[in-house]
């Protein structure tokens, strides 16, 4: 990772020389967060003849002067603060950075033998800062299509290896994994990789990574944040239809439908459909559409498409209001009923809003007689009062059913006999007798009789009867 991206702001080149001679490798520059600890990565080499002098008696000292000895060294780290000098590791951690000042420091190696050397050809410039630099996000911009797998990397310098910064993601969109990585110059950075699947919900919403640095001098923690705003391409989502005017509208009214959606890139095509049961009928294009609505054509939806894909809205049903239609009367019991029976009449209709008033009438020729109210009506029927209809009324208007005639049945009544020729006839003349009657159902049997005093003699059947009149055969009845 580039030195300019680290908290230590270290130059990209390290100081050092070939093995076999006295040389030291360390960063040229380190910016130290005030009140925090700091680790100086350091390694060295000695002349070959001093290799055997590297033992447990060796000590590392730091000073801002090239001409110093251990006696006048300003910084004398303990063994716990340094690496293993016998392995040429002079890495030093200062838990109390207040011991340092903004200047250049040099390393001196002193052992309880002939090995004593100040590395004057290379030093580290120490500078103090009050605020940490921003973490680094990789990639710095995010432009992907919905459904793509995304990995974001957040890196923050770890100036003190024992107390690296804590990294948090906001929002936390998936699994994250943290590591402590080493740069080319041996400095370290804290890295967190968050992996997730891109969603349209992420589009335009800031994703940030925050580094929290804990100070060792007891002062409050300090934070630094880096963020990006993802650009997620996705097909139309949350497609809705709005109607103007809103609320109920009268049948045959003109309304305006508007299709709304979220999409990236923008929608390039809107299409409109009318839902007729299971059928979908194309009716137009455009963000908005003006239409005339009917009670049986009031369900609509739209489709929206962009370069990524298409989406469809839910169906919207417009509240189309109309006066009562298709008004019918049903009778219970159905079919023929005896005269003077009780029957129940029921009025049915389609209406929006619902019918609030039903009225019943009996049709007496050209006269209409009001007989009651309500959806159903119980009445007694007779053969001359058997035709009925109903009216249904809502806020929009009134409608009337067709008249229904109940089949009222009754036995033969008003039975009469007519003679042809009428008037007096000569003895032994032939005459025709005709029987007439009112009945429902129709008469299916006529029988004729001659009355002989108290005697009744059967003489024939049928609506009409031809007989010869004798002087003593004058009384005929049906």
């Amino acid at each position: 990772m580039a030195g300019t991206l680290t908290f230590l702001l270290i130059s990209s080149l390290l100081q050092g020389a070939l093995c076999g001679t006295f040389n030291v490798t360390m960063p040229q520059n380190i910016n130290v967060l005030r009140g925090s600890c700091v680790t100086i990565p350091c390694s060295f080499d000695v002349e070959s003849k001093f290799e055997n002098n590297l033992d447990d008696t060796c000590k590392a000292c730091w000073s801002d002067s090239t001409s110093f000895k251990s006696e006048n060294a300003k910084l004398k780290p303990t063994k716990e603060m340094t690496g293993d000098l016998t392995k040429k590791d002079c890495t030093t951690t200062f838990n109390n950075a207040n011991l340092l000042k903004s200047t250049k420091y040099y390393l001196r190696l002193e052992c309880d033998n002939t090995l004593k050397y100040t590395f004057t050809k290379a030093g580290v410039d120490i500078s103090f800062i009050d605020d940490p630099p921003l973490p680094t996000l990789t990639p710095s911009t995010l432009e992907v299509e919905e459904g793509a797998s995304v990995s974001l990397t957040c890196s923050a310098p770890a100036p003190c290896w024992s107390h690296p910064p804590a990294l948090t993601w906001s929002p936390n969109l998936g699994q994250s994994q943290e590591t402590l990585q080493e740069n080319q110059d041996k400095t370290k950075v804290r890295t967190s990789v968050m992996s997730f699947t891109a969603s349209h919900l992420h589009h335009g919403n800031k994703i940030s990574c925050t580094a929290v640095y804990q100070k060792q001098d007891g002062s409050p923690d300090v934070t630094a944040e880096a963020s990006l705003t993802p650009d997620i391409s996705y097909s139309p989502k949350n497609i809705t239809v709005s109607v103007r005017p809103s609320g109920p509208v009268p049948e045959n009214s003109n309304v305006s439908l508007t299709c709304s959606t979220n999409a990236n890139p923008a929608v390039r095509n809107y299409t409109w459909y009318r839902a007729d049961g299971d059928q979908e009928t194309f009716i137009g294009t455009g963000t908005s559409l003006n239409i005339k609505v009917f009670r049986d054509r009031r369900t609509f939806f739209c489709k929206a498409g962009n370069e990524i894909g298409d989406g469809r809205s839910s169906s919207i049903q417009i509240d189309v209001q109309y006066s009562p239609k298709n008004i019918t009367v049903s009778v219970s019991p159905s079919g023929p009923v005896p005269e003077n029976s009780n029957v129940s009449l029921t009025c049915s209709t389609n209406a929006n809003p619902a019918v609030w008033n039903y009225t019943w009438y009996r049709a007496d020729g050209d006269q209409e007689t009001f007989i009651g109210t309500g959806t159903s009506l119980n009445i007694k029927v007779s053969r001359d009062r058997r035709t009925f209809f109903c009216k249904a009324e809502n806020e929009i208007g009134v409608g009337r059913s067709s008249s229904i005639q109940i089949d009222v049945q009754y036995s033969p009544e008003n039975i009469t006999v007519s003679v042809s020729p009428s008037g007096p006839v000569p003895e032994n003349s032939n005459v025709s007798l005709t029987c007439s009657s009112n009945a429902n159902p129709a008469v299916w049997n006529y029988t004729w009789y001659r009355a002989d005093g108290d005697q009744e003699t059967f003489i024939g059947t049928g609506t009409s009867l031809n007989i010869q009149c004798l002087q003593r055969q004058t009384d005929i009845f049906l």
Side-chain angles (χ1 to χ4, degrees):
M1 188 171 293
T4 56
L5 299 181
T6 68
F7 174 67
L8 302 177
L9 301 179
I10 302 165
S11 64
S12 61
L13 298 177
L14 297 175
Q15 307 171 73
L18 297 175
C19 297
T21 62
F22 282 103
N23 67 83
V24 66
T25 300
M26 66 180 72
Q28 288 184 339
N29 305 285
I30 296 180
N31 287 343
V32 181
L33 182 63
R34 199 179 304 278
S36 180
C37 58
V38 65
T39 299
I40 304 174
C42 176
S43 62
F44 66 91
D45 205 351
V46 297
E47 290 183 358
S48 300
K49 64 181 181 179
F50 291 106
E51 291 281 348
N52 294 330
N53 293 100
L54 291 171
D55 56 27
D56 290 340
T57 66
C58 298
K59 300 178 181 61
C61 303
W62 295 82
S63 178
D64 56 0
S65 173
T66 58
S67 58
F68 74 98
K69 296 182 179 180
S70 60
E71 292 81 4
N72 62 358
K74 295 186 177 182
L75 298 171
K76 299 179 181 180
T78 63
K79 286 186 177 294
E80 292 77 16
M81 297 170 61
T82 61
D84 189 347
L85 296 176
T86 64
K87 296 180 180 179
K88 302 177 184 179
D89 182 4
C90 52
T91 298
T92 302
T93 297
F94 291 99
N95 290 312
N96 185 3
N98 291 331
L99 297 174
L100 301 172
K101 63 180 181 179
S102 296
T103 188
K104 190 169 188 174
Y105 285 90
Y106 299 91
L107 173 70
R108 178 174 174 79
L109 179 66
E110 285 196 4
C111 305
D112 292 346
N113 50 52
T114 58
L115 178 55
K116 296 174 176 61
Y117 187 81
T118 300
F119 296 89
T120 59
K121 293 184 178 179
V124 56
D125 282 317
I126 300 294
S127 299
F128 285 93
I129 59 175
D130 293 318
D131 299 308
L134 300 180
T136 301
L137 282 179
T138 306
S140 58
T141 59
L142 181 60
E143 296 183 9
V144 295
E145 188 173 320
E146 183 175 34
S149 296
V150 176
S151 290
L152 292 180
T153 301
C154 179
S155 301
C160 180
W161 298 357
S162 59
H163 294 82
L167 301 179
T168 58
W169 293 94
S170 180
N172 187 359
L173 301 178
Q175 295 182 342
S176 59
Q177 184 175 6
E178 290 190 2
T179 56
L180 191 62
Q181 298 182 346
E182 186 175 84
N183 292 320
Q184 185 177 0
D185 60 4
K186 304 301 181 181
T187 58
K188 294 187 178 182
V189 294
R190 188 71 156 182
T191 299
S192 177
V193 178
M194 180 174 66
S195 299
F196 61 95
T197 300
S199 165
H200 68 280
L201 300 175
H202 304 149
H203 177 70
N205 295 319
K206 184 176 76 170
I207 300 175
S208 62
C209 173
T210 302
V212 181
Y213 290 89
Q214 183 182 19
K215 292 189 177 182
Q216 280 65 57
D217 64 355
S219 59
D221 298 345
V222 291
T223 62
E225 179 185 289
S227 64
L228 59 79
T229 301
D231 184 359
I232 310 297
S233 300
Y234 57 93
S235 60
K237 310 288 183 183
N238 305 320
I239 306 173
T240 59
V241 175
S242 59
V243 183
R244 189 182 182 99
S246 60
V249 295
E251 187 174 22
N252 299 320
S253 294
N254 290 317
V255 299
S256 177
L257 304 176
T258 300
C259 192
S260 302
T261 184
N262 295 326
N264 185 37
V267 171
R268 64 182 181 182
N269 186 32
Y270 290 93
T271 52
W272 290 91
Y273 298 85
R274 185 181 68 244
D276 302 313
D278 294 333
Q279 299 295 317
E280 298 177 359
T281 304
F282 171 79
I283 57 174
T285 60
T287 308
S288 296
L289 186 69
N290 294 319
I291 58 170
K292 180 177 287 188
V293 293
F294 305 90
R295 63 181 182 274
D296 57 347
R297 295 182 179 182
R298 54 178 174 171
T299 303
F300 306 90
F301 66 89
C302 67
K303 292 181 180 180
N306 65 1
E307 299 171 7
I308 308 302
D310 299 311
R312 167 187 164 152
S313 72
S314 298
S315 294
I316 183 172
Q317 190 173 63
I318 300 174
D319 187 4
V320 179
Q321 296 193 332
Y322 52 94
S323 61
K325 309 290 182 184
N326 305 320
I327 306 172
T328 59
V329 174
S330 60
V331 183
S332 180
S334 60
V337 295
E339 187 175 20
N340 297 320
S341 294
N342 289 317
V343 298
S344 177
L345 304 176
T346 300
C347 191
S348 302
T349 183
N350 295 326
N352 185 33
V355 171
W356 60 271
N357 187 33
Y358 289 92
T359 52
W360 290 92
Y361 299 86
R362 184 180 67 244
D364 302 314
D366 294 334
Q367 298 296 314
E368 297 178 0
T369 304
F370 170 78
I371 56 173
T373 61
T375 308
S376 296
L377 186 69
N378 294 319
I379 59 171
K380 180 179 288 188
V381 293
S382 61
R383 62 180 180 272
D384 57 347
R385 294 184 177 181
R386 54 180 174 170
T387 303
F388 305 91
F389 65 91
C390 68
K391 292 182 180 180
E393 182 177 5
N394 66 1
E395 298 173 8
I396 308 302
V398 181
R400 168 186 164 150
S401 72
S402 298
S403 294
I404 183 171
Q405 191 173 61
I406 300 174
D407 187 4
V408 179
Q409 295 190 335
Y410 51 93
S411 60
E413 295 182 350
N414 303 320
I415 305 172
T416 59
V417 175
S418 60
V419 182
S420 180
S422 63
V425 294
E427 185 177 14
N428 297 322
S429 296
N430 290 320
V431 297
S432 177
L433 304 177
T434 300
C435 189
S436 300
S437 174
N438 293 328
N440 184 32
V443 172
W444 59 271
N445 185 32
Y446 289 90
T447 55
W448 293 88
Y449 298 85
R450 183 179 71 247
D452 299 315
D454 294 332
Q455 296 297 315
E456 296 177 359
T457 303
F458 170 78
I459 58 174
T461 61
T463 307
S464 297
L465 184 68
N466 294 318
I467 62 170
Q468 187 177 35
C469 290
L470 304 175
Q471 183 178 11
R472 59 182 181 86
Q473 296 178 337
T474 59
D475 294 331
I476 304 295
F477 67 90
L478 183 63

